[in-house]
Amino acid sequence: MVMNKYNVQATTSSPSINFDPDAMTFEIKGESYPENCWAFYSPVFDWLSDFFDTVNGTLVEIDMEIIYFNSSSSKTFMDLFEMLDDQAERGKKIVVNWRYHEENESAMECGEEFMEDVERIDFNLVELTD
């Protein structure tokens, strides 16, 4: 099965999503407080599920740089990390790079909380300096 790229442009309330299976680059970047969080992220889960059915033994590295997000986005991110953890349990090699700006303490703390909740994926906190 050939996987197409999955691209969503950022809006004022939702992040850009750029998943390129050919280049093996996966990025979610921006702010996340869409009106209907599940409607926004549901296609992301579907795409990733299809994608993981096509890869074996390949390192999948996901960069997340979320400047601000609301509680429903936080819940959705937790669901995402649980899904990735399940894939890792099935033998997939998955790295999440949680990127945050040094002055954004809440993003760092949220990243630490997410990191505590995953067991099998490599979860990195990456401080960005300006």
Side-chain angles (χ1 to χ4, degrees), residues 35-63:
E35 194 169 308
N36 184 332
C37 204
W38 185 245
F40 179 78
Y41 283 104
S42 184
V44 174
F45 281 81
D46 293 342
W47 190 94
L48 282 169
S49 181
D50 291 342
F51 171 75
F52 281 118
D53 288 343
T54 69
V55 294
N56 284 312
T58 307
L59 176 65
V60 177
E61 196 163 347
I62 300 174
D63 290 326

Side-chain angles (χ1 to χ4, degrees), residues 5 14-15 23 26 40 75 80 82 91 96 105 115 119 124:
K5 294 178 182 176
S14 63
F26 307 91
F40 179 78
K75 168 78 175 96
L80 171 65
E82 286 173 12
V96 171
E105 220 170 282
M115 186 166 62
E119 295 175 30
N124 300 315

Side-chain angles (χ1 to χ4, degrees), residues 81 94-96 98 111-112 114-115 118 121-125:
F81 299 141
I94 301 171
V95 174
V96 171
W98 182 264
E112 288 173 343
F114 290 137
M115 186 166 62
V118 297
I121 60 176
D122 289 330
F123 198 101
N124 300 315
L125 296 173

